[in-house]
Amino acid sequence: MTDGDRDQLLTAIESAVAAAPNANAAMQQAVRLLKDAIPYYSWAGIYLLDGDELVLGPYVGKPSPHTRIPLGKGICGAAASEKATIVVDDVNADPRYLACSLETRSEIVVPIMDGADVLGEIDIDSDQPAAFGAADRALLEDVAALLAEALSDG
Ligand code: SME
C-alpha cells in the first residue's frame, strides 16, 4: 500500500474510533477497517489485559482457540511482557507461536499502551510469509495509540 493509502486508512480509523459509542465498538471498527483494507491481513483482533492474562476481544477472521493467553505464553504474551511490537516472519520457526490457523505464516503483535501500562494489543496474522514491514508497524502503532485513548476514556 502507498503512503497515501496508509494515511487515508489511518484517517478513516481515527474518524470511526472518534464516532464509536464505546471502546468495544471502537475496537470492532478498527479491526474491521484494517482487515477490509489490507488483503494480506488474514486475521485481525484485539486482546485486552485482564490481570496476568490476555483476553480475546473484537476480531475479524476465523474463531481462535486462544481466547485467554497467559502473559508468559505465545507471541501475544511476549509482546505484552516486553511492552514492544513483535514481528514474526515465519511463525513455524518461532517456538513461542500458538497456532490459531494452519494457514498462518507470519504475525505482528503491537501493544496498546497507556504510559507504561499495557492495556492490550493488536494482533494481525497473515497467510503470507514475512508479510509485515515497517509500514505495517507504523500504521498499527498509530492505531494502537488511537485505541489507547478510546480504552482509557472508558
Ligand atoms: N499466534 C498468537 C495466538 C493468537 S492467534 O494468532 C489469534 C500467539 O502466538 O500468541
Side-chain angles (χ1 to χ4, degrees):
M1 78 167 8
T2 66
D3 287 353
D5 292 341
R6 177 186 167 281
D7 289 350
Q8 211 174 3
L9 175 58
L10 187 61
T11 304
I13 294 172
E14 194 166 9
S15 307
V17 166
N22 54 49
N24 204 56
M27 293 186 287
Q28 260 166 7
Q29 296 271 7
V31 290
R32 164 63 62 197
L33 286 165
L34 285 167
K35 171 133 185 348
D36 284 355
I38 305 182
Y40 55 89
Y41 287 12
S42 334
W43 190 95
I46 293 180
Y47 284 89
L48 293 173
L49 189 62
D50 177 19
D52 55 6
E53 281 190 327
L54 292 156
V55 179
L56 182 58
Y59 68 91
V60 187
K62 289 190 206 162
S64 169
H66 303 293
T67 55
R68 295 187 84 91
I69 302 175
L71 277 183
K73 300 276 179 199
I75 295 160
C76 287
S81 304
E82 293 169 20
K83 304 186 178 186
T85 297
I86 297 184
V87 177
V88 178
D89 287 343
D90 176 2
V91 292
N92 295 314
D94 193 318
R96 298 170 298 183
Y97 176 63
L98 299 170
C100 175
S101 151
L102 287 177
E103 287 88 48
T104 298
R105 303 292 306 279
S106 58
E107 178 163 10
I108 183 170
V109 183
V110 178
I112 301 170
M113 303 293 298
D114 179 19
D117 297 332
V118 176
L119 301 177
E121 56 194 28
I122 302 171
D123 180 14
I124 312 280
D125 291 352
S126 180
D127 294 352
Q128 293 179 22
F132 304 106
D136 299 281
R137 173 192 283 257
L139 169 67
L140 295 169
E141 290 181 351
D142 284 347
V143 174
L146 292 172
L147 291 177
E149 276 179 51
L151 285 163
S152 47
D153 287 352

